[in-house]
Amino acid sequence: MDKYNIPEGVQVFDRIADFRRWRRSILLQGQTLGYVPTMGALHAGHISLAERARQGNDHVALTIFVNPAQFAPHEDLSSYPRTLQADLDQISRLPVGTVTAVLVPQVSEIYPNGIELDVSKQIGAFVEIKGLSHQLEGGTRPHFFRGVATVVSKFFNIIQPEHAYFGQKDVQQCVCLRRLVEDLHFPLQLHICPTQRESDGLAMSSRNIYLTPSQRKHSLVLYKMLSSIEKNYKDGERSRDKLLADAMDIFNAEEKQVAALHEDWTMKLDYVSIANPRTLDEEMSDLESGFIASIAVFLGKTRLIDNFLINCEL
């Protein structure tokens, strides 16, 4: 890591064994560790997780790792932003001691048997979460949560944190990981932190950098649809079909604008969902106890997701 400018007070590791020696040293001192997993391309959402972790722990460790196992062969693994120095620069702007360790492991260490993007060719140990990973995001990305559950299990084993912090924007991931921690008895507490947003409401995401100016303007359709569901629910609407229909009216109007103004790209709805916050069941007959409203939209080739927790918590 000599070629990188390392922030003051931060130790950067590229080997698991070196990180584990550091982890053991703070354990022997009786100090706690909070963990924030990332794939890099850090933004204010990641930074807010690190700040939250520092409030409740003596040390905070980040991992920066673009996980091949959660990408299908046709997806954007090769083009996913890898910006380690910029990420370290982001960390350097925090008060010294906010983040004390960063692990940037090699793919060959995380997947010692290699890792094929084609699931049928993969060799080694993998983790699946049945019942929560086939719907919503799993409909478009059927192997995504298998990859997430596998790499998070690996990092929970490597990092051994007392507390781990995830952002609500990836809400289905959060539901899956709660079940992972519960079912596999990981000795840690999971914290789901609110989605960080731009001033106009767009959820912060590493993929936002792919948006053209025109796509960025129309990307607010996700926030508008979710806001409609939330407002109508607060106004007393309890029909799932009506809540979704009103949100779809907003999407259809935006889609017509895109079609009229832009010939070089299209906007397409992947899904809009109202689901139970624990089971992700979409056939909810009673909305009184609350639900997750979530949306995925393609703007050109960029796929964005967002969600609101309405009258419920994770």
Side-chain angles (χ1 to χ4, degrees):
M1 308 301 292
D2 293 341
K3 64 180 180 179
Y4 295 100
N5 295 320
I6 308 300
E8 181 183 354
V10 178
Q11 297 192 61
V12 179
F13 303 95
D14 58 5
R15 293 185 57 81
I16 293 171
D18 295 336
F19 175 87
R20 279 179 158 160
R21 277 190 287 272
W22 173 82
R23 175 65 182 102
R24 179 169 173 74
S25 72
I26 67 168
L27 177 65
L28 292 175
Q29 296 173 47
Q31 297 177 329
T32 58
L33 180 63
Y35 170 47
V36 179
T38 84
M39 294 210 301
L42 300 186
H43 51 67
H46 299 113
I47 296 304
S48 72
L49 295 178
E51 292 173 329
R52 170 77 179 276
R54 185 61 184 88
Q55 292 172 9
N57 299 275
D58 298 308
H59 293 272
V60 174
L62 267 66
T63 51
I64 296 176
F65 181 70
V66 179
N67 177 31
Q70 64 197 62
F71 290 82
H74 67 280
E75 291 182 324
D76 58 351
L77 174 61
S78 61
S79 62
Y80 196 90
R82 291 164 172 80
T83 56
L84 181 55
Q85 186 58 64
D87 295 339
L88 294 173
D89 292 343
Q90 285 263 31
I91 294 169
S92 72
R93 299 185 187 105
L94 292 166
V96 174
T98 303
V99 174
T100 45
V102 177
L103 174 61
V104 191
Q106 300 299 310
V107 172
S108 58
E109 270 209 290
I110 297 298
Y111 296 100
N113 290 298
I115 179 67
E116 294 278 353
L117 298 189
D118 183 343
V119 169
S120 67
K121 298 179 181 178
Q122 289 177 352
I123 298 171
F126 293 85
V127 180
E128 294 187 36
I129 304 172
K130 298 292 189 180
L132 296 175
S133 57
H134 66 278
Q135 62 275 73
L136 303 175
E137 290 295 290
T140 300
R141 310 181 72 188
H143 305 301
F144 175 74
F145 291 110
R146 180 176 183 268
V148 170
T150 297
V151 82
V152 169
S153 296
K154 289 171 181 279
F155 279 129
F156 282 170
N157 180 38
I158 294 164
I159 307 297
Q160 298 190 358
E162 281 81 13
H163 301 270
Y165 299 81
F166 294 83
Q168 180 196 316
K169 183 184 77 69
D170 299 300
V171 70
Q172 187 175 3
Q173 172 177 282
C174 295
V175 173
C176 286
L177 294 181
R178 278 212 181 280
R179 185 64 60 85
L180 177 79
V181 169
E182 177 183 333
D183 285 357
L184 297 188
H185 301 282
F186 282 110
L188 59 87
Q189 184 174 352
L190 202 66
H191 301 266
I192 310 302
C193 303
T195 301
Q196 298 297 302
R197 299 184 179 277
E198 306 288 353
S199 60
D200 57 7
L202 179 66
M204 291 182 179
S205 170
S206 300
R207 285 192 166 91
N208 290 350
I209 65 172
Y210 297 148
L211 297 172
T212 67
S214 62
Q215 290 168 351
R216 174 64 177 81
K217 175 184 175 182
H218 292 287
S219 68
L220 294 180
V221 69
L222 288 87
Y223 185 72
K224 293 174 183 177
M225 293 171 71
L226 292 169
S227 297
S228 166
I229 293 172
E230 181 179 56
K231 179 181 184 303
N232 289 343
Y233 182 84
K234 287 181 176 179
D235 288 345
E237 183 59 68
R238 292 297 183 269
S239 166
R240 179 178 181 276
D241 290 344
K242 183 67 166 68
L243 292 170
L244 292 174
D246 287 351
M248 280 304 304
D249 287 343
I250 293 172
F251 179 83
N252 291 334
E254 195 83 26
E255 187 181 35
K256 287 181 180 178
Q257 287 188 32
V258 170
L261 296 173
H262 308 289
E263 297 181 354
D264 56 333
W265 64 275
T266 59
M267 186 171 74
K268 182 177 73 172
L269 182 72
D270 190 350
Y271 64 79
V272 55
S273 167
I274 287 174
N276 181 286
R278 179 164 177 83
T279 66
L280 299 181
D281 178 15
E282 295 183 90
E283 300 301 321
M284 296 180 66
S285 58
D286 180 14
L287 302 185
E288 286 295 337
S289 59
F291 55 89
I292 299 170
S294 58
I295 298 174
V297 171
F298 287 95
L299 294 105
K301 295 181 179 180
T302 303
R303 183 173 179 275
L304 300 182
I305 62 173
D306 200 357
N307 67 84
F308 280 10
L309 299 181
I310 298 181
N311 199 35
C312 70
E313 297 180 354
L314 291 183

